[in-house]
Amino acid sequence: MKTVPIISAEKAASLVKDGDIILGGGFGMTGNPVNIIHELAKTKTKDLTFIANNVGEPNMGGGRLLNNGQLKKMIGSFFTSNREAVLAAQEGRVEYELLPQGTLAEAIRAGGAGIGGFYTPTSAGTLIAEGRETKMLNGKEQVFIEGIRGNVAIIRAWKADTAGNLQYRMTEQNFNRAMATAADIVIAEVQEIVPNGEIDPNEIHTPGCFVDYLVERKLTEEDLGSSASVGSSKVIDEKRMNMAKRAFAELEKGDVVNLGIGIPTLVADLIKPEDGIILHTENGMLGVGPEPKDGGGAMYYPVNAGKVPVTALPGSSYFDSADSFAMIRGGHIDVAIMGGLEVDAQGNLANWSVPGKPLLGVGGAMDLASGAKKLIITLRHTDRDGGSKVVENCTLPITDFSCVDMLITELAVFKFIDGQLTLIEILPGSTLEEVREKTEAKFVEQLSK
């Protein structure tokens, strides 16, 4: 059995050269090889292309490389969680490329598997797909995405043996597993290195043949950024809760459900064990439970796609981001409940970008909108200026086309019946006259008497 060199974080950082393409593991700061990245930030290495789900958090992980001016380009799914990265992109100080989260994960997996590229329906017809080759497959427009490989992958695992076999913990697999296969040099930062034979072969997630170097560095709560504790920022008021309750009423026992950020997170608080609803999160967990009652963070608990620590229900499972989005695109998610910025009369959804605003990230929204069997959108009926968000035609960048099945606002519930926006219910505190007045889109009324 081979023995993988064990090196210092400083030595690992020295293996990165000017102009390299870096694959950086992690989802937020969970499963993030923060110690090696911070050592890289102490060097003069420059002109790097940094590929990761997001560029760390402000001055943490990839965020520190950004602030040092070491990044030439960043490629990722969700930069919005690091305002410094958004500002650098919008001011033109760093090049950037946005990919939907599932597309990014699959592109890395393809690169690691020696596959030149693949077609996906995700992002077809949107701004994200501009300039890319498309083809009609199975009656759907699909976008060609090239596989992604890097010069160096810097990943994080929980345990390694001296042969380089890796074991991950909880939701720390995320992008790490795919990235371990997709670079010329793979460096794994781990919590613990044990002798060969101490990890059961059944419990190895990344075989040692992929790993070139090991770095043993203990994780601390300071390394976890915003996921170090629960710190919930949920906004709860009567109207938001009414929307969440109405969305919850659409769920059936046995449904596999994905909840977006914002109002949809309130639905999780309504689910009881006897409901038999299985929550899915894009960063690699099925069977998401409530937030920890002890306030503990990602040192002890998994995190959801909002980077909030959660608990694991009996029967839950962990996997990586590529497998998570295979579930989504493969039609294994029964219901997705997401927030929105606009929904129009054709069932088109806009929920990821507002020109001129500090938003720069599509996350998993495009994958979920096109892949979930049923899509429920919750949004405020009007914007701060009183303008309708239920519009005849979306004016904001589109997430996906003709994808919305149900729309729930604080005023009313709409369904798309035979392709027609149809009002089916008035919510408490509203009137039919108010709904008519505040809805720009034309709609049919089918209210039960």
Side-chain angles (χ1 to χ4, degrees), residues 260-275:
I261 60 174
I263 293 168
T265 62
L266 301 178
V267 176
D269 299 330
L270 303 172
I271 298 172
K272 301 180 178 63
E274 58 267 26
D275 295 322

Side-chain angles (χ1 to χ4, degrees), residues 131-423:
R132 295 188 181 274
E133 177 191 340
T134 62
K135 181 178 288 190
M136 293 298 294
L137 295 171
N138 300 318
K140 279 189 173 183
E141 183 182 12
Q142 304 209 21
V143 182
F144 183 74
I145 303 293
E146 292 185 357
I148 289 175
R149 284 190 62 86
N151 299 111
V152 182
I154 306 175
I155 64 171
R156 174 87 195 181
W158 191 250
K159 186 182 289 187
D161 64 22
T162 52
N165 297 307
L166 304 181
Q167 182 183 71
Y168 304 97
R169 185 186 71 138
M170 300 185 297
T171 48
E172 294 171 1
Q173 292 185 47
N174 49 68
F175 282 81
N176 285 303
R177 266 183 56 195
M179 286 181 173
T181 71
D184 302 329
I185 298 173
V186 175
I187 309 167
E189 176 185 309
V190 300
Q191 188 82 357
E192 179 184 14
I193 301 173
V194 301
N196 284 342
E198 286 203 15
I199 304 178
D200 186 325
N202 291 301
E203 297 176 355
I204 289 170
H205 301 115
T206 294
C209 67
F210 293 112
V211 179
D212 298 295
Y213 297 97
L214 295 172
V215 174
E216 186 177 77
R217 287 290 291 264
K218 304 297 184 187
L219 192 69
T220 67
E221 289 196 352
E222 289 73 26
D223 298 326
L224 295 169
S226 60
S227 297
S229 61
V230 170
S232 178
S233 59
K234 288 182 182 177
V235 178
I236 302 175
D237 60 39
E238 184 178 4
K239 289 184 177 180
R240 289 168 66 89
M241 189 52 70
N242 283 342
M243 295 161 68
K245 288 177 180 177
R246 185 59 186 83
F248 171 72
E250 292 296 308
L251 306 183
E252 299 180 2
K253 192 167 188 176
D255 275 350
V256 177
V257 179
N258 183 287
L259 301 177
I261 60 174
I263 293 168
T265 62
L266 301 178
V267 176
D269 299 330
L270 303 172
I271 298 172
K272 301 180 178 63
E274 58 267 26
D275 295 322
I277 293 165
I278 305 158
L279 291 183
H280 167 275
T281 182
E282 297 101 292
N283 58 313
M285 184 178 180
L286 201 59
V288 178
E291 296 175 0
K293 292 183 179 178
D294 62 7
M299 183 67 77
Y300 311 103
Y301 295 99
V303 301
N304 63 18
K307 306 178 186 68
V308 175
V310 294
T311 54
L313 298 178
S316 62
S317 58
Y318 302 115
F319 34 88
D320 77 335
S321 295
D323 280 348
S324 184
F325 281 92
M327 295 176 187
I328 293 168
R329 287 190 308 272
H332 305 288
I333 305 301
D334 296 298
V335 184
I337 305 175
M338 295 198 298
L341 297 170
E342 288 180 339
V343 171
D344 71 18
Q346 292 73 48
N348 301 325
L349 168 66
N351 80 337
W352 69 277
S353 177
V354 179
K357 298 289 186 180
L359 299 174
L360 191 65
V362 66
M366 288 185 177
D367 302 275
L368 284 159
S370 65
K373 293 178 184 176
K374 181 177 182 178
L375 179 61
I376 300 173
I377 298 300
T378 60
L379 55 69
R380 289 284 190 178
H381 208 98
T382 58
D383 59 26
R384 292 180 180 179
D385 297 325
S388 181
K389 293 184 178 181
V390 187
V391 295
E392 190 63 24
N393 294 287
C394 285
T395 60
L396 297 175
I398 296 291
T399 302
D400 195 37
F401 299 88
S402 302
C403 58
V404 180
D405 296 291
M406 175 176 277
L407 170 62
I408 301 172
T409 77
E410 77 277 17
L411 304 183
V413 181
F414 298 86
K415 276 187 176 179
F416 284 86
I417 300 174
D418 297 326
Q420 174 69 54
L421 180 65
T422 305
L423 175 66

Side-chain angles (χ1 to χ4, degrees), residues 73-156:
K73 184 175 183 178
M74 52 190 189
I75 300 174
S77 159
F78 195 76
F79 303 126
T80 302
S81 55
N82 184 343
R83 292 297 180 94
E84 293 169 353
V86 175
L87 189 61
Q90 292 180 336
E91 291 181 349
R93 288 186 280 118
V94 62
E95 299 174 45
Y96 72 92
E97 181 180 350
L98 266 178
L99 288 171
Q101 197 171 110
T103 299
L104 177 63
E106 192 65 23
I108 295 167
R109 178 158 68 176
I115 296 171
F118 58 93
Y119 285 94
T120 174
T122 303
S123 80
T126 73
L127 291 177
I128 297 290
E130 283 188 358
R132 295 188 181 274
E133 177 191 340
T134 62
K135 181 178 288 190
M136 293 298 294
L137 295 171
N138 300 318
K140 279 189 173 183
E141 183 182 12
Q142 304 209 21
V143 182
F144 183 74
I145 303 293
E146 292 185 357
I148 289 175
R149 284 190 62 86
N151 299 111
V152 182
I154 306 175
I155 64 171
R156 174 87 195 181

